[in-house]
Amino acid sequence: MPLRGWTPIAGDASRWQGGGGECLIRETRHTQAFPPLATQQAATGMANRLRVSLGKAGLGEVTTQPVDRDTTWAVLAGYVYEEGGARYRVSQLYLSDGGKLRTVSGSSAAGTDSPCTAGMREFIRYQAE
């Protein structure tokens, strides 16, 4: 369980909701190669490439930064996307898991000040591994 009081969605241990469904966290394991980021410099380079890629994908307000994970580095991205006329703010952590990409994504409606958003973003930024 990512956060106290959060519940799995339909019994799926990779998808969680908090704040009565106002915030969502999803972990996704990809088949795409993603070598470990051993240095801050490598993570910064990946963050810069990711920022360009997400911008080209049409996402708004894109930010990226390297984040320290004890013995390795990860990349944290933030962006806004639109779907069905609604805007969502996303925090997404990109990690190497055995040389494959794993993401931990948190989302909530853009402009929402739900109490779950700060805890969700803090979890993704500092605790998700």
Side-chain angles (χ1 to χ4, degrees), residues 58-63 78-82 86-90 110-111:
L59 301 171
E61 302 177 34
V62 177
T63 62
Y79 54 86
V80 172
Y81 81 94
E82 292 187 37
R87 292 172 37 96
Y88 299 93
R89 178 156 303 280
V90 177

Side-chain angles (χ1 to χ4, degrees), residues 56-93:
K56 286 181 179 179
L59 301 171
E61 302 177 34
V62 177
T63 62
T64 59
Q65 68 182 68
V67 291
D68 189 359
R69 284 294 185 262
D70 292 328
T71 61
T72 188
W73 288 81
V75 174
L76 179 65
Y79 54 86
V80 172
Y81 81 94
E82 292 187 37
E83 182 178 299
R87 292 172 37 96
Y88 299 93
R89 178 156 303 280
V90 177
S91 294
Q92 190 169 42
L93 186 67

